[in-house]
Amino acid sequence: MPVPFRPARAPLPDPDQKKAALSYLNEAWAEARHDGVDGDCLAQASLFAALAELVGTYGEDAVADYLEGIPSRVRNGEYSLALARQ
């Protein structure tokens, strides 16, 4: 019988969780690149996994509504690392 997952400590506040999650993803990304996985493949797999998680949590319609705002955010530079680090 599988043992249910229990966090080792109390959940972090939301901003800290987001920072921790990004740190974990950056580490996994670096390891995959080191193992020869192409960045474009990683990006597509990451987007699929992220969207599947969001759909599982919020449903297709809510995620589709959220995604409608992505093009303008991309054009505004919200996902450009050079701008995000300023």
Side-chain angles (χ1 to χ4, degrees), residues 2-67:
V3 177
F5 173 76
R6 298 200 190 278
R9 55 186 158 156
L12 297 170
D14 194 55
D16 293 339
Q17 283 191 45
K18 290 177 181 179
K19 288 178 187 176
L22 187 55
S23 178
Y24 282 117
L25 289 172
N26 283 334
E27 289 177 26
W29 194 284
E31 186 174 337
R33 291 302 306 257
H34 177 72
D35 290 346
V37 179
D38 179 70
D40 184 61
C41 289
L42 281 168
Q44 290 184 40
S46 297
L47 285 171
F48 176 84
L51 291 173
E53 178 68 24
L54 290 172
V55 166
T57 301
Y58 300 107
E60 287 88 356
D61 290 335
V63 174
D65 289 344
Y66 171 76
L67 291 174

